[in-house]
Amino acid sequence: MYRVLLVDDEELDLEGMRRFTPWDELGMEVKGCANNALSARAILESQPIDILVSDVNMPYMSGLELARGALENNPHLRVIFVSGHQEFSYVQQALSMKAYSYVLKPMDDRELAASLLKVKRDLDEERRQRERESAYEELIPIAKSDLLIRLLEGALADPDPALSRQLASYGFERIRYPARVAVMELDHAAVGQKGVLMPPQEWTQASLRQLHAHIQALGGIPYCKLSAQRIALVVVDHDDPDAMLLGLARAVERHANATITTGLGAPVTGLQGLADSYRQSVAALAGKMFFGKGGVIKYEEVRAEPGMLDARELDTRMNALLAAMEAYEVVRVYDEFENLFRSIAALRSRFTVHNLLGYMVWKADQYLSGRGEDLFSLLGIEIRHLDVLMQLETVADIRTWLMQFVYEISERLHEKSMTKDSKFIRGVVKAMTERMGENIQLKDIAAQFSFSPSYMGVLIKEKSGSTFNELLANIRMEKACELLHQPGIKIYEVADLVGYRYLPYFSRQFKEKFGMTPIEYRKRTL
C-alpha cells in the first residue's frame, strides 16, 4: 500500500477526498490529513509518505512551498496539486516541480482517481526497477563467489578470452602476487557430557555480514563460501597473512559463536596456481587434529612425515591399561592412559589415528568379552554411538573422549564386581581359565560348583549373557591372542595350550572371532 498525505485548508474538500476516493482499489492508504501546510510538514517529517495531495493556496505557507521543501527531503515523493485557481503562474510553478497533476476545484472524483492511478503506475514501475537493480546487485557477489569456487577447484585451468574478461571484470586480475589461499573453518564445540559431540556450528547471515564488513575494511579480499562451515579467501603473502587471518578470525568468532581454524596454502605467483594453493590449504586444515583449534596452520607445517607405531609396544600398553581399568586403580589407569596416548599424539596421519582408535575399541571389546562382559551393554550404548570418534577434530578432543570412555568402563566394571552375580561369574571364568587347556565341558564346571549341568548352564547365561560354550570360546581366544605375541610359541602349540586339539578348527574359530587367521594376526602384531 502506498502512503498518502492529504492537505487542504477547506475542511469539506479535505473530508471529501478522504471519504470518496477509492483508496483500497488504488492500493493506497491515507496516513494523515492536515488543514494547513505547517501541520502537513510535521507529518512529512515524522513518517514516510509516498504521495502528497495538496491544495495550492493556503494561509501561512502555500502548497507550493510545502511541496518544494518536501521534495528536497524526499526526491521520490509524488505530488498532486488541487486548486480553485487557474492562474498560469500557479500551473507553471507546479510543472517546474514535476507535479503529476493539477486538479481544479470543484473536483471531479474520477479526475483525481485517474491522477492517482497514474502515480501508482509510476511508483509500481519504479519499485520493479529497484527490485531488478537489487537482484542484479545480489547476483554479482553470487556470480563472483561461484567463479572463485570454480577457479579454486581447478575448473578454469585454461580460461578462454570471454572468461578472462569475466575474471577481470570481477577484480581477480587485480590480485597481488605472491598470494595464498586460506580456508577458514568453524570448529566443532567441545565434547559434551558422556562423550557426546555437540552439533557443528554454521556460518549464519550475521557472521557472514561481519566477515564481509571486515574483509571490505581490509581492501576487499576475494572470498567465497565453500560449505556451511568453510570460507575460502585469497590473501597476499607479503602482508603478514598469519596475523591478518588471526585478527579476522577473532573479529568474527564472537558473532559465529565458535572458534575458527584456518588452513593456509603455499604462496603462488599467478591465477593458475590458486587451485594448488587451495588444495594445500585444505590439507593444512586437516592438521587441526594435531595442531589444535583456533589458529592458522600453514601447509609447510603439516608436510612432515607421519609418525610410526611399534605394534608390540602398543599392544603392551593397551593390555596394561585394560588391566588397570579392571583392577579399578584410578591413578594407574591415568598413568597407563598417558603412556598410551603419547603414541597417538606423535602421529601425523588422520587415517592412522582413526585406525588406532578402532583398534583400541576392538581390543577393549575383546578383553571384556573374555571376562564375560559385553562392551556396549556395559556402557549402555549402541555401536553407532562410536561414530563420534570419526568426527572428533583434534587430538585434544580425542583425548577427552577416550579418557571419559576409559574411566566409565573402569567404573562400571568396579560396580559390577561388587555384586553377588559378578563374584559368581568371576569364579566361573577363573575356573574355566585354569582348565581351558583341557577338554572341559559344562558338567565339569557344574561339578566344581556343586550344581547340575542344566542349572549351571542357566546360571551362566543369566549372569553373563553368554552360554557356557560362548564364554569358554571367548576366554580361549583372548588367551590365544596373548600367546601369539610370543614368537617362540608355534601356532599349533598355542592351539593346544588353549584347548584345541585340531589346528584347522582352531584357525577357523579364530578367524570367525577376529576376521583373520592366527598367522595373519601374529604377522600384524609382531
Side-chain angles (χ1 to χ4, degrees):
M1 301 286 279
Y2 295 115
R3 295 153 296 198
V4 181
L5 173 61
L6 304 176
V7 189
D8 199 315
D9 62 335
E10 296 184 23
E11 292 291 344
L12 287 176
D13 289 341
L14 186 63
E15 184 64 16
M17 286 191 292
R18 188 183 69 80
R19 292 186 61 182
F20 300 117
T21 305
W23 298 110
D24 288 339
E25 294 178 22
L26 291 167
M28 299 177 186
E29 180 183 6
V30 176
K31 301 297 290 185
C33 296
N35 60 9
N36 63 80
L38 294 176
S39 298
R41 185 170 65 181
I43 294 173
L44 285 164
E45 290 173 351
S46 66
Q47 60 181 300
I49 296 295
D50 302 305
I51 304 168
L52 172 64
V53 180
S54 175
D55 190 5
V56 173
N57 192 17
M58 293 182 291
Y60 307 115
M61 179 189 291
S62 72
L64 295 170
E65 293 175 280
L66 172 66
R68 188 175 292 110
L71 286 166
E72 287 178 0
N73 293 325
N74 179 12
H76 298 290
L77 181 71
R78 298 322 195 254
V79 180
I80 294 175
F81 288 116
V82 296
S83 177
H85 299 274
Q86 301 186 47
E87 288 88 343
F88 179 72
S89 60
Y90 285 144
V91 178
Q92 188 179 41
Q93 290 182 65
L95 292 173
S96 71
M97 285 187 285
K98 298 182 180 178
Y100 268 73
S101 186
Y102 192 95
V103 181
L104 289 174
K105 295 180 180 181
M107 282 183 291
D108 183 336
D109 294 339
R110 288 175 296 178
E111 185 179 356
L112 178 59
S115 298
L116 289 166
L117 185 59
K118 179 183 177 185
V119 171
K120 179 182 182 300
R121 288 170 180 163
D122 186 64
L123 286 171
D124 287 344
E125 179 57 32
E126 185 179 87
R127 177 177 289 179
R128 284 192 291 269
Q129 181 62 27
R130 285 199 302 269
E131 289 173 352
R132 285 193 292 268
E133 291 174 357
S134 176
Y136 178 72
E137 289 174 359
E138 290 176 3
L139 282 174
I140 289 176
I142 293 173
K144 185 175 180 179
S145 177
D146 181 64
L147 193 61
L148 181 56
I149 291 172
R150 292 166 61 199
L151 187 66
L152 297 180
E153 291 178 346
L156 309 179
D158 298 306
D160 56 38
L163 191 54
S164 296
R165 287 193 297 272
Q166 189 179 5
L167 289 167
S169 68
Y170 287 141
F172 292 126
E173 296 296 335
R174 294 195 297 273
I175 297 173
R176 290 184 294 144
Y177 294 96
R180 297 175 182 252
V181 175
V183 174
M184 303 179 75
E185 181 174 65
L186 294 175
D187 299 320
H188 283 287
V191 179
Q193 291 185 345
K194 295 189 176 182
V196 177
L197 188 67
M198 298 295 102
Q201 297 294 325
E202 295 186 0
W203 287 99
T204 62
Q205 289 300 317
S207 56
L208 285 172
R209 281 195 297 271
Q210 287 297 321
L211 178 71
H212 180 76
H214 287 290
I215 284 176
Q216 292 306 308
L218 292 170
I221 300 168
Y223 77 99
C224 59
K225 183 180 177 182
L226 299 170
S227 68
Q229 285 81 38
R230 288 185 174 185
I231 298 287
L233 310 92
V234 180
V235 297
V236 180
D237 187 46
H238 52 69
D239 287 348
D240 193 5
D242 294 51
M244 185 273 288
L245 290 167
L246 273 176
L248 184 60
R250 297 296 172 268
V252 177
E253 279 174 347
R254 62 179 178 272
H255 301 281
N257 197 30
T259 58
I260 296 174
T261 302
T262 304
L264 190 58
V268 295
T269 57
L271 202 65
Q272 306 280 332
L274 292 178
D276 290 333
S277 188
Y278 167 65
R279 284 191 290 271
Q280 293 164 356
S281 67
V282 173
L285 197 56
K288 182 197 301 189
M289 174 173 280
F290 312 102
F291 290 87
K293 302 176 182 177
V296 177
I297 306 170
K298 288 186 175 181
Y299 177 67
E300 297 92 313
E301 297 170 344
V302 300
R303 286 188 298 177
E305 288 296 320
M308 300 297 290
L309 287 174
D310 185 298
R312 283 173 296 184
E313 181 184 358
L314 178 63
D315 208 58
T316 300
R317 289 179 178 176
M318 190 67 194
N319 286 332
L321 173 61
L322 290 167
M325 289 162 60
E326 186 178 17
Y328 196 58
E329 296 180 16
V330 179
V331 174
R332 188 156 70 95
V333 168
Y334 179 84
D335 291 340
E336 295 297 346
F337 179 84
E338 288 299 304
N339 288 335
L340 178 64
F341 198 77
R342 274 193 287 271
S343 300
I344 299 176
L347 298 174
R348 283 296 180 266
S349 165
R350 191 183 188 93
F351 178 76
T352 304
V353 169
H354 285 158
N355 280 344
L356 176 59
L357 295 176
Y359 162 78
M360 292 172 67
V361 172
W362 172 81
K363 185 73 176 177
D365 184 42
Q366 295 307 313
Y367 186 87
L368 293 171
S369 179
R371 282 146 184 79
E373 298 288 353
D374 178 76
L375 172 66
F376 302 101
S377 299
L378 186 70
L379 297 179
I381 62 174
E382 297 178 13
I383 192 169
R384 60 184 175 83
H385 290 133
L386 296 180
D387 290 347
V388 67
L389 283 170
M390 300 300 109
Q391 300 171 36
L392 296 174
E393 294 185 301
T394 68
V395 170
D397 287 343
I398 291 171
R399 183 185 184 283
T400 300
W401 190 93
L402 281 177
M403 182 68 82
Q404 293 181 15
F405 179 76
V406 162
Y407 273 115
E408 188 169 0
I409 291 174
S410 184
E411 184 73 29
R412 295 291 175 84
L413 287 173
H414 177 66
E415 289 172 358
K416 293 195 75 172
S417 70
M418 296 295 103
T419 66
K420 182 178 179 181
D421 289 349
S422 178
K423 290 177 181 177
F424 168 74
I425 288 298
R426 287 205 309 276
V428 170
V429 169
K430 182 174 183 294
M432 294 168 74
T433 302
E434 290 172 349
R435 300 178 63 182
M436 76 170 74
E438 306 172 19
N439 185 26
I440 57 171
Q441 299 179 22
L442 176 59
K443 64 180 182 180
D444 301 318
I445 300 298
Q448 190 169 333
F449 283 82
S450 301
F451 292 131
S452 69
S454 59
Y455 183 57
M456 188 68 180
V458 170
L459 279 179
I460 291 174
K461 177 66 175 178
E462 182 182 307
K463 308 302 183 186
S464 72
S466 302
T467 65
F468 169 80
N469 288 331
E470 289 170 344
L471 187 58
L472 179 60
N474 287 333
I475 293 170
R476 284 171 164 170
M477 290 298 124
E478 182 68 26
K479 184 63 177 178
C481 287
E482 182 183 324
L483 295 172
L484 286 168
H485 285 97
Q486 302 177 35
I489 304 178
K490 294 180 171 57
I491 301 293
Y492 69 85
E493 292 175 330
V494 171
D496 187 64
L497 287 170
V498 298
Y500 290 93
R501 305 294 177 257
Y502 185 51
L503 182 58
Y505 180 67
F506 167 68
S507 296
R508 186 165 62 253
Q509 290 285 96
F510 193 94
K511 187 169 185 178
E512 286 180 6
K513 181 72 174 176
F514 300 115
M516 64 186 82
T517 65
I519 295 175
E520 290 169 339
Y521 180 86
R522 170 167 276 177
K523 287 180 178 178
R524 183 170 295 189
T525 55
L526 292 181

